Amino acid sequence: AVLPFPRAIDRLKGGSADLMFTFYRVPGREAFADYSSEPLVEQTISLFVLEDSPIVFDGDLDKLADRTFGLVNFSYGGVFDAFLKRNDALRVDPANSVSLNLTKLLGRRFDIMPSDHWVAYYHYAQLAVTQPGALPRIKELRPKVETFNAYVGFSKIRNLGSLRDTF
């Protein structure tokens, strides 16, 4: 099942879910989950804006701290998560899913949407099917924020070590 990220984490912690993907190496998760020994994919986090946006990115997130960000409640990797911690007064427009977050960006509810590169384009393509020719275009700012490995997380409470090892 596809669930909002916080609910998926809760289910993994409680044992009502066996595993979840994509699962980043984030401090504290080892307490309730075992990671696959090999990464499943490499993920790239980028910043997305509307095509007509004047926003530029030179690799220094702190220069964007005066902008409003649309965020889903999950980790965007170490670089972006550290930026969030340094900027506790950052203006944030929360969403429960990437699809909703993208819809809010398209509606100009906020300035910048961090997202996995492929996930953002997938959700944009899905919206474009339902609204052909009606969507504002998005652009991916360069450079990318960060590229890192994503794993499968297995519930420790369910003792799935052998399944993890087989996987």
Side-chain angles (χ1 to χ4, degrees):
V2 177
L3 302 171
F5 193 81
R7 190 178 316 156
I9 288 283
D10 286 344
R11 289 193 179 177
L12 193 70
K13 282 181 184 178
S16 62
D18 292 330
L19 57 93
M20 75 179 279
F21 170 80
T22 59
F23 205 68
Y24 309 149
R25 288 201 180 270
V26 175
R29 288 188 182 168
E30 294 86 4
F32 62 88
D34 289 321
Y35 289 89
S36 55
S37 59
E38 297 290 326
L40 197 53
V41 296
E42 184 178 81
Q43 292 198 276
T44 296
I45 300 299
S46 292
L47 302 178
F48 290 85
V49 297
L50 293 176
E51 186 176 57
D52 63 0
S53 172
I55 297 171
V56 293
F57 179 54
D58 66 4
D60 185 353
L61 286 167
D62 290 315
K63 290 180 182 176
L64 301 175
D66 62 335
R67 299 295 186 162
T68 303
F69 286 78
L71 300 177
V72 180
N73 186 20
F74 51 62
S75 173
Y76 290 94
V79 172
F80 195 85
D81 291 354
F83 164 69
L84 290 175
K85 285 181 184 176
R86 285 192 308 276
N87 294 280
D88 59 350
L90 189 71
R91 290 176 297 159
V92 172
D93 188 334
N96 290 327
S97 68
V98 174
S99 180
L100 176 58
N101 208 31
L102 178 59
T103 299
K104 291 165 85 174
L105 173 66
L106 296 172
R108 299 183 187 275
R109 295 265 307 268
F110 55 82
D111 302 314
I112 303 170
M113 180 184 83
S115 180
D116 172 83
H117 167 93
W118 295 115
V119 171
Y121 285 118
Y122 168 80
H123 285 285
Y124 186 84
Q126 294 300 306
L127 287 172
V129 168
T130 63
Q131 303 172 48
L135 293 180
R137 296 183 59 90
I138 59 173
K139 68 180 174 184
E140 183 177 2
L141 299 179
R142 294 291 182 186
K144 58 191 169 195
V145 174
E146 181 178 15
T147 298
F148 51 87
N149 292 323
Y151 299 81
V152 176
F154 294 85
S155 174
K156 276 191 175 181
I157 203 166
R158 302 283 306 262
N159 289 327
L160 298 172
S162 62
L163 176 63
R164 179 206 58 212
D165 295 344
T166 300
F167 176 81

